[in-house]
Amino acid sequence: MKRLLTVAALCAAGSLIAMQGAAADDDAALIKSAESAAPAAVASGAAIYAMDAKGAMRTLREGKNGFWCMPDNPASPGPDPMCGDANAMEWAMAWLQKKDPPKGKVGFMYMLSGGTDGSNTDPYATAPTEGNNWIETGPHVMIVNAMDVMAGYPSDPKPDTAKPYVMWPGTPYAHLMIPVK
């Protein structure tokens, strides 16, 4: 659990999630937002993490099923609550630290409320620029750290986001995006 919390803190530091501190009344709203990322059967048993106003990660709820969830980042352009398994957190930690993802650890993530818009080709882009192929994503799931299983899926810089495609192709952080609506 401590390892997941460390990885969650890194994700927050990497601007995946930037939540302000919340009073106890707001915790219920943060948990509801986080749980909206995955099916109820997964989200109801997941650990829930959020960042406070000083950037420290706090646990809103301990997990029971090996999954974690984080609420929407109100500063991002779109809805982006997310849930994932432990392998997805290791992959995210590698991405944030600009290290190679762990070998042999395929991860799974849910973003059933949608995802913040981003570059399809630059894993570190923070805003649209000429040539960084900014895209909009709707509700989707992701398979991360599974390079061998992505063969045959489109890896175009400007994909049709209504169909499965590879995001960040040609990088160690390439992952399969699978829309669900």
Side-chain angles (χ1 to χ4, degrees), residues 70-94:
M70 293 179 162
D72 176 55
N73 172 2
S76 64
D80 55 9
M82 62 182 71
C83 292
D85 62 21
N87 289 346
M89 288 299 279
E90 286 189 49
W91 173 87
M93 185 170 96

Side-chain angles (χ1 to χ4, degrees), residues 16-20 22 25-40 42-44 46-51 58 60-61 68-76 78-84 110-116:
L16 284 177
I17 303 295
M19 299 300 298
Q20 294 183 350
D25 290 344
D26 293 333
D27 284 356
L30 293 173
I31 291 169
K32 183 177 179 180
S33 171
E35 287 183 331
S36 73
V42 171
S44 65
I48 307 289
Y49 303 115
M51 191 187 323
R58 64 188 183 101
L60 300 178
R61 182 179 74 205
W68 53 269
C69 297
M70 293 179 162
D72 176 55
N73 172 2
S76 64
D80 55 9
M82 62 182 71
C83 292
Y110 292 97
M111 291 187 80
L112 298 183
S113 292
T116 297

Side-chain angles (χ1 to χ4, degrees), residues 117-119 122 124-130 132 134:
D117 306 337
S119 170
D122 180 354
Y124 298 103
T126 58
T129 62
E130 184 72 33
N132 76 354
W134 207 256

Side-chain angles (χ1 to χ4, degrees), residues 85-91 101-109 142-150 176:
D85 62 21
N87 289 346
M89 288 299 279
E90 286 189 49
W91 173 87
K103 300 260 186 245
K105 291 189 171 186
V106 174
F108 188 81
M109 294 179 74
M142 296 176 285
I143 299 173
V144 300
N145 209 26
M147 296 295 193
D148 295 339
V149 300
M150 292 186 287
L176 189 59

